[in-house]
């Protein structure tokens, strides 16, 4: 297996190609522009469509058109562009058009800056724009995982006929790591619903309007049923969690920093462990609840003022104290900072069982 | 520990990111895990460029490093910024051509390399970054010299073979200089 | 006092001034300024005509141009 | 007796939800006839916009996507790019196309997307209750210009056909009026030519159809037809503004 | 005090005039078009600016301009338009420009329909677009309250230099009720920050960009401090809550339906009560916690698939079961339905102390 | 010796963050000089856009609002409407104005907003690293048109001045180039006339300034200047396209 | 109970909303609380129009009514839709001119008024809604006739006084008819 | 068979057909159709020319128009 050294943005692009993406629409924005630039070079070679749209609003609606026409379609952006896509995402959800949306988060609010952040968690996980729709949300923490989740994202999008978001951050997009690229797949997809020109058959319609409240309610319930089904897609990673008294919950790049802090804490004899949600919606609530049930405290680490912490609190339901440590505005947490938070937590709730110092599990 | 983290810092245009990238590619060739993290954004234009590389035998956790084991500083502002952050017992490699002061801490190892004239002597002062890379390999063999050579040859495939050769020569020069030069202060060993 | 004054720190060494200078009296410093650029310098004040061409194209508005007062002007003031 | 006029097959049997006298129905028929005549029913994909014609898919028996307000040209672009051998058209109102969708129509046109746009200019937002549209005439009363549209406050009627025609990506631009049998004949020719332009791969084609909105205008259907002729046509002159093969880049 | 019979949409418009609104920008959308139409007739008479923008995107940015120029500015919309405003709202929050935003919710997702709904709760309360910003959110349940909260909204916007949302629904906007209109106020406002042309003074800047992560983080913390301060603005209404064993939590129009259901439940001897959040952000968590502490069960009623219920669960933290009943797609809950849910809850958790039947408190 | 050229007072002392040779700096100076000459510093409000000139407020000592990408004309509209006696201008790049901000510029122009737009056409997205702009020339390589802009895929260079000039709300439209002392002189005149148009209450005014982006183009500053003259000017002809008092509604 | 809830339903164009509004305005004039809720939206055009009015002495809770005490049906589809929903013991007032069947339930009071000819006789068949309003007041005095009169006069101020008068006459006609006509079935009283 | 057939249920009584009918042979039913409109009716078949004007303007495409076959046409088929 050859390993390539790639940037997160490029690795996602390449994986999308291998997942059979047929159309990419987007609008430049830092820190993800390598992704469209990669697509501009490669997608046409694969017989696909690359189009730089006039705006994110246009781009997401082009995705609607292409996705609705039955091909794997994709878009990528960062915070401000993601905001502009909210109406379009709501339409995609409502009309059940699959697609993959990448948001490489940066410092906000407003124009903010282009440094890594995780401040779009709420926007990505709580609602696909207005109305009751949701995105499925995947959060890679390594470039390899970015590849793997890109494939998964396309599959989930097809399976649930719903947009799937890959929620990364500027750092993941810009960093290079060795990756084993997935083998190209020829996706087997059911697109009997797609508008491809009716041929001799009955005409098909992609739409999200239903003036009859009862009918729209039934549709909304159908969407909620899908989200309930999607619970089976829940993914997370445990790291040194079995005997952890201090459970860190963190995703994406913050989780990697936390992992190093966990190692350092263990080296110092503290029983820290890490639970890393990989799917943010559906959220691994049960896993968090279970880990919290065995712990003395939960520590949520985010690059935001505190967003995922709400989902953690919802899962923990007051069983143990949930602490929060966040940096924002593009500042990235570092291992020593997280270690300090672990130490503080340990001091507050009792150090617990001393674990053997050193050694990486 | 089986993980080494280092930061390369200097002006934009000094080949900071390239130094880090060759190191990372060498690590990949050796089957190691590695993360390469650029500073990106507005600093790119004219300002400071930094690059963080973590190399490990096992899965790397944080690609973000607050307290690096090694820093390679290519100019004075970078020394000012990163000297305080190096881990005690760590290593500071200085491009003496662009840094007009020496290290103040006494708990780190220091190597000073007058890289620019050395590189200029090899044909291009801009290869100072490769000289520094060589010096790094001398003081802390985080990857093998062979792997670096292969990484450079991969990066400059046959039509560009002369460039590969020139860069490899610069690395070799740095290596020699680094091996000749005993670290100036070494209150502790290991990186 | 020379006919033009170039702010060494504002200058980014883009050389646009030099190409538009009719008499070609602008050159560049071999040393770097604090931001890492080789700033423009007036190489030959005598041949400068104070035409302001250099200043007009300077993106960094680093050039101030002076012109000798007409003879006797100093008295009138 | 031989039938000389009847409902085209592409027009479904469903009664429309349009108000009495609303010319959306005429426009639908023209599109249906052209699709039938060109024999492209099975490979045509329509894009419905947000406006009174949102349910165009209930009346035209071809595949349809319903697009977000103003974004039909972007949606059509998405479809056409991945299915270049299909015939893709949008059906948009003037609020949709000339207000919120301005960027999308201009850039689809400028890119020369090989799509056809049926643009219903009825000088008002019909669906939401008769507010001003960019195409509203000066002095015309709407629910958001209660004293009549005043150029100093609300700008001038936007002439979309004139705006788009000079763009090199645009192959065919025509304006017609759905105001009399004769004008409707011409409108039909324009719609057909627009689709033909697409079939010929010439570039972007658009037909602006001056239409009535009796309810939004507060007029009886017959009065509305007359108002269209006497008031709208002078502001929005009829005819071909650009035909394939002229003025390209 | 004369009472006028007014539609919710018009009452909000008239109250805004009396609050001294100087600029209204908007784009038509059902079910709130009466609001801009009212403004079109009246605002110019008051020397203010009414402008129908080319889109919601343009409109929210006009609000930014006018608000940033130091006047009370306002916008109104419904779901799809609210989605389109997300980027602009994030900028308003980041640049600390006050304004009032009305969202009269309708059925979603996508184009949905124009019937009343509460599916934009997450979007309104969790994030102002991308990044860490928030809107303050007020939820009137009567036309009178819509008037009163409109005044409050402008005051809070000024006080916190943050956009304030009035989250209503189509039903509230379209219904008529008697209202006592507020007296016109001449707001005393500190606009020393506004860009009004510098005169001889130093130039002022309205912006949300800061490339330095530490500086942007400091700004984000400043925003979060404001939100913490805003906790003091928390408002809610209790109805027959003192001795309630079944606590209904509902806002807006759903709360009114629930209120009638509570009366019917009481008439039937069930100890139901209602807690109606008036501020949705900040959320009256403590009040919910307190009420839940005295209750056997909490029942959340919404016109959505379940959104505010998360804030309720966060407040209750597992102390008592939190049940949810929602209708969506524009279907409005009715008193008998809610009563049935109360009865079910009572059956599941025990009927509790019998209350005296009948009588409205 | 008498000073015959120096930094205008409205230009702050701050060194700009622009790349060497980037003509944003020249455009800034022209605006500063005009504000000084017209004596409107204390009543001028600028609107910065999203692009390399996002920090225009650091360099021009007047009140400023920083607008979301593409929305500067809407922001300026908001300001000007509530402060009609102030002078309001936007400063926008071509990605900002001609791509994402298309609807906003067209409608501000069509409403005849009494604002002035300084439009920096450098044929590329500078800030984000040299992607294609709507103004990118055919065949020009950018990071998103690696093989050169192909009209069939990516459309044609959009001529904004030509697009806006016919709108009745528009009073003044001019295009100039920041490519030589002589052209810069003309550019200054255009900028001044645009502001004067606003002061005279004539309507919407815009100056399109052809500019360089040496970094985005991958050229040395001097080459970039030359490229501007030889390649851009033929596609974007210079001069006044509309002056106050002509072609209004 | 001190609260009365009623639904008016019919075709668009039959003055459904206006009937409700006059009732609501009359309630306001009497110092009562009231909610007036239209069905809005696509049904407006041609389709069904309904209007829900709740009048109470105290603060009104739900403006949404599932099981009204009173329904006024102006056409056949409205009868089909609302008959099943009326509360037992409630009241159904039928515009017999447009409804070709009678009520099937036996647990509600029913009043049938041939409102259109009556209104036509007064000059305009479109005032059938006012005739119905009068009939309502006869069967269930939810507001006073005087208040309805004032509400109509407020709505048609002096220049339109003749319209006010015509409408009031229609209400009066309905009232007379209603008072004359004994409810057809009345298994229980009270609304 | 009459020259035109008007679908009574599709018709919305907008009267546009009537104003464009050259001989003016269209009138309106006094009774309502099921959707509440007074549909158009052909009042005088004899004077109808099958010109299709009415059908062309009918927004609801409620009118089908027939024309007598040229004499002998029936045989040719
Ligand atoms: C984002 C968004 N904004 C506003 C609306 C509300 N809306 C629906 S249709 C419409 C305008 C329709 O006018 P037009 O396009 O002229 O079509 P017409 O009804 O006149 O045929 C508007 C503003 C919406 N659905 N979505
Ligand atoms: C909504 C949104 N989309 C994209 C971006 C990223 N972005 C920043 S500047 C820019 C383009 C700048 O190009 P231009 O307007 O031509 O200005 P220049 O830098 O060339 O002067 C883009 C796309 C953003 N900030 N916001
Ligand atoms: S003023 Fe004229 S002559 Fe003097 S240096 Fe500048 S360009 Fe050259
Ligand atoms: S034009 Fe200005 S910045 Fe460029 S070299 Fe000359 S003085 Fe320096
Ligand atoms: S509102 Fe106007 S455009 Fe809409 S259906 Fe009625 S008449 Fe036609
Ligand atoms: S990237 Fe281009 S536009 Fe931006 S500052 Fe550099 S040269 Fe100027
Ligand atoms: S076909 Fe011609 S003549 Fe006959 S009814 Fe129609 S319009 Fe009149
Ligand atoms: S034009 Fe059509 S819908 Fe209108 S009255 Fe005639 S037949 Fe009926
Ligand atoms: Mg319209
Ligand atoms: Mg540009």
């Amino acid at each position: 297996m050859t390993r390539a050294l790639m940037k997160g943005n490029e690795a996602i692009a390449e994986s999308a190609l291998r997942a059979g993406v047929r159309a990419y629409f987007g609008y430049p924005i830092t820190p993800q522009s390598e992704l469209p630039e990669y697509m501009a070079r490669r997608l046409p070679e694969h017989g696909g469509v690359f189009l730089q749209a006039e705006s994110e609003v246009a781009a997401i609606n082009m995705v609607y058109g292409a996705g609705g026409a039955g091909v794997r379609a994709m878009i990528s952006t960062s915070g401000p562009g993601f905001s502009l896509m909210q109406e379009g995402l709501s339409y995609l959800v409502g009309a059940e058009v699959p697609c993959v949306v990448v948001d490489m988060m940066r410092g906000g609010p407003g124009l903010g800056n282009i440094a890594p952040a995780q401040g779009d968690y709420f926007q990505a996980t709580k609602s696909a724009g207005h109305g009751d729709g949701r995105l499925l949300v995947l959060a890679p923490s390594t470039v390899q995982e970015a590849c793997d989740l890109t494939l998964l994202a396309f599959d989930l999008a097809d399976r649930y006929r719903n947009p799937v978001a890959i929620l990364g951050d500027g750092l993941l997009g810009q960093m290079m790591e060795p990756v084993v690229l997935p083998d190209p797949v020829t996706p087997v997809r059911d697109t009997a619903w797609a508008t491809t020109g009716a041929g001799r058959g009955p005409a098909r319609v992609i739409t999200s309007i239903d003036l009859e409240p009862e009918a729209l309610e039934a549709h909304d319930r159908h969407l909620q049923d899908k989200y309930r089904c999607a619970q089976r897609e829940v993914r997370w990673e445990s790291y040194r969690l079995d005997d952890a008294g201090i459970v860190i919950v963190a995703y994406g790049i913050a989780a990697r920093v936390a992992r190093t802090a966990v190692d350092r804490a263990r080296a110092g004899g503290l029983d820290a462990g890490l639970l890393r949600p990989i799917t943010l919606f559906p959220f691994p609530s049960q896993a968090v609840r279970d880990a919290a049930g065995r712990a003395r405290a939960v520590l949520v680490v985010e690059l935001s003022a505190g967003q995922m912490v709400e989902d953690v609190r919802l899962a923990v339901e007051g069983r143990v104290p949930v602490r929060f440590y966040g940096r924002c505005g593009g500042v990235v947490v570092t291992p020593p900072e997280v270690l300090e938070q672990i130490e503080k937590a340990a001091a507050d709730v009792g150090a617990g069982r001393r674990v053997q110092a050193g050694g990486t599990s | 520990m089986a993980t080494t983290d280092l930061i390369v810092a200097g002006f934009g245009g000094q080949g900071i990111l390239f130094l880090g990238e060759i190191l990372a590619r060498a690590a990949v060739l050796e089957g190691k895990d590695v993360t390469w993290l650029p500073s990106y954004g507005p600093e790119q234009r004219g300002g400071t460029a930094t690059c963080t590389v973590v190399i490990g035998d096992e899965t790397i956790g944080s690609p973000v490093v607050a307290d690096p084991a090694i820093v390679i500083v290519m100019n004075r502002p970078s020394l000012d910024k990163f000297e305080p952050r190096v881990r005690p017992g760590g290593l500071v490699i200085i491009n003496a051509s662009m840094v007009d002061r020496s290290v103040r801490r006494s708990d780190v190892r220091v190597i000073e390399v007058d890289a620019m004239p050395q590189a200029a002597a090899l044909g291009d002062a801009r290869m100072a970054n490769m000289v520094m890379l060589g010096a790094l390999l001398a003081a802390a063999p985080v990857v093998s010299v062979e792997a670096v050579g292969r990484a450079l040859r991969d990066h400059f495939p046959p039509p560009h073979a002369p460039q590969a050769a020139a860069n490899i020569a610069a690395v070799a020069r740095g290596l020699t200089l680094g091996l000749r030069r005993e670290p100036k202060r070494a209150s502790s060993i290991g990186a | 006092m020379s006919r033009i004054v170039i702010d060494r720190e504002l200058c980014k060494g883009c050389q646009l001034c030099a190409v538009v200078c009719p008499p070609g009296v602008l050159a560049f410093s071999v040393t770097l300024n604090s931001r890492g650029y080789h700033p423009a310098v007036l190489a030959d004040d005598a041949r400068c005509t104070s035409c302001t061409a250099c200043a007009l194209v300077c993106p960094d508005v680093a050039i101030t141009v002076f012109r000798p007062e007409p003879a006797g002007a100093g008295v009138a003031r | 007796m031989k039938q000389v006029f009847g409902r085209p097959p592409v027009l479904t049997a469903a009664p429309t939800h349009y108000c009495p006298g609303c010319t959306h129905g005429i426009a639908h028929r023209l599109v249906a006839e052209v699709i039938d005549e060109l024999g492209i029913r099975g490979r045509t994909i329509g894009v419905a916009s947000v406006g009174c014609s949102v349910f165009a898919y209930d009346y035209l028996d071809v595949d349809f996507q319903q697009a977000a307000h103003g974004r039909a040209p972007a949606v059509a672009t998405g479809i056409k790019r991945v299915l270049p051998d299909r015939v893709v058209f949008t059906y948009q109102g003037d609020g949709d196309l000339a207000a919120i969708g301005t960027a999308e129509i201009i850039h689809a046109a400028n890119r020369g997307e090989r799509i056809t746009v049926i643009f219903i200019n009825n000088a008002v937002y019909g669906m939401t209750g008769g507010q001003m549209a960019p195409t509203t005439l000066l002095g015309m009363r709407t629910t958001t210009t209660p004293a009549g549209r005043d150029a100093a406050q609300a700008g001038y009627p936007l002439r979309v056909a004139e705006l788009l025609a000079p763009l090199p990506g645009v192959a065919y631009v025509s304006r017609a009026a759905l105001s009399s049998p004769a004008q409707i004949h011409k409108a039909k020719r324009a719609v057909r030519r627009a689709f033909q332009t697409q079939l010929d791969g010439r570039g972007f084609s658009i037909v602006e159809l001056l239409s009535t909105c009796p309810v939004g205008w507060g007029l009886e259907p017959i009065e509305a037809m007359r108002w269209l002729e006497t008031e709208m046509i002078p502001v929005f002159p009829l005819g071909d503004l650009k035909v394939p093969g002229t003025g390209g880049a």
Side-chain angles (χ1 to χ4, degrees), chain B residues 66-149:
Chain B
D67 44 2
I70 304 172
V71 300
I72 302 175
V73 295
M74 298 290 286
N75 66 3
R76 165 76 191 259
S78 299
L79 179 61
D80 295 346
K81 184 167 177 193
F82 289 103
E83 178 181 347
R85 300 199 194 165
V86 185
R87 273 211 284 283
L91 174 65
V92 182
I93 307 181
I94 293 176
N95 172 17
S97 328
M98 295 289 284
V99 176
D100 56 3
R101 73 166 177 89
S102 51
V103 168
R104 294 183 185 122
R105 285 173 59 175
S106 58
D107 60 346
V108 295
R109 292 193 298 154
V110 179
I111 293 184
E112 292 183 0
V113 184
D114 202 8
M116 290 173 76
Q118 296 288 345
L122 290 170
D124 190 344
R126 285 178 301 175
M127 290 190 308
N129 58 345
M130 292 296 108
V131 176
M132 296 295 285
L133 174 53
L136 166 71
L137 297 182
V142 291
V143 291
S144 70
V145 181
E146 293 66 38
V148 168

Side-chain angles (χ1 to χ4, degrees), chain D residues 64-91:
Chain D
F64 250 97
Q65 292 195 16
Q66 197 291 314
H69 193 31
R71 319 308 175 191
V75 171
T77 297
I79 301 170
K80 184 76 181 186
R81 289 287 178 127
V82 301
L83 298 174
D85 60 346
R86 305 304 198 283
V87 179
V88 180
F89 75 97
T90 72
Y91 185 104

Side-chain angles (χ1 to χ4, degrees), chain A residues 74-154:
Chain A
M74 176 181 196
I75 192 168
S76 62
T77 189
S78 184
F82 193 55
S83 283
L84 286 173
M85 293 176 188
Q86 293 299 309
E87 189 206 22
L89 288 171
S90 186
Y91 272 74
L92 282 153
V93 168
E96 300 193 78
V97 177
C99 72
V100 172
V101 188
V102 178
D103 177 12
M104 287 298 183
M105 295 179 282
R106 57 187 236 174
L111 189 46
N113 63 27
I114 57 177
Q118 299 183 322
D120 303 354
Y121 180 93
F122 276 144
Q123 196 173 23
T125 61
K126 292 297 165 189
S127 64
H130 60 284
D132 266 326
R134 292 288 185 101
L135 307 176
L136 306 187
V137 185
L138 309 178
S141 76
T142 66
V143 176
Q144 182 65 56
E145 195 177 30
C147 290
D148 301 341
L149 293 185
T150 299
L151 259 75
L152 179 66
F154 281 103

Side-chain angles (χ1 to χ4, degrees), chain B:
Chain B
M1 236 211 292
T3 297
T4 307
D5 43 21
L6 64 91
I7 291 177
V8 195
F11 280 137
Q14 285 186 305
I16 306 296
L17 301 185
F18 186 65
L19 194 173
E21 182 173 341
I22 292 303
L23 204 53
R25 293 202 179 280
V28 173
L29 291 171
E30 292 192 331
K32 295 192 159 123
D33 197 11
V34 62
T35 63
W36 172 96
L37 182 67
S39 65
Y40 60 92
E43 300 112 285
Q44 275 182 331
R45 299 219 184 89
T48 311
T50 68
C51 174
T52 306
V53 177
V54 184
I55 299 175
D57 294 327
E58 288 157 17
T59 304
I60 290 169
S62 179
V64 178
V65 176
D67 44 2
I70 304 172
V71 300
I72 302 175
V73 295
M74 298 290 286
N75 66 3
R76 165 76 191 259
S78 299
L79 179 61
D80 295 346
K81 184 167 177 193
F82 289 103
E83 178 181 347
R85 300 199 194 165
V86 185
R87 273 211 284 283
L91 174 65
V92 182
I93 307 181
I94 293 176
N95 172 17
S97 328
M98 295 289 284
V99 176
D100 56 3
R101 73 166 177 89
S102 51
V103 168
R104 294 183 185 122
R105 285 173 59 175
S106 58
D107 60 346
V108 295
R109 292 193 298 154
V110 179
I111 293 184
E112 292 183 0
V113 184
D114 202 8
M116 290 173 76
Q118 296 288 345
L122 290 170
D124 190 344
R126 285 178 301 175
M127 290 190 308
N129 58 345
M130 292 296 108
V131 176
M132 296 295 285
L133 174 53
L136 166 71
L137 297 182
V142 291
V143 291
S144 70
V145 181
E146 293 66 38
V148 168
R150 269 181 62 201
L152 280 166
R153 280 192 301 273
D154 288 355
H155 191 268
F156 298 106
H160 307 286
Q163 271 175 275
N167 276 277
I168 290 171
V171 173
R173 174 71 57 100
L175 192 67
T176 319
L177 288 168
L179 289 174
R180 262 211 308 256
R181 215 178 249 66
E182 194 54 19
K184 269 167 122 191
R185 274 160 299 208
S187 62
S188 101
I189 303 290

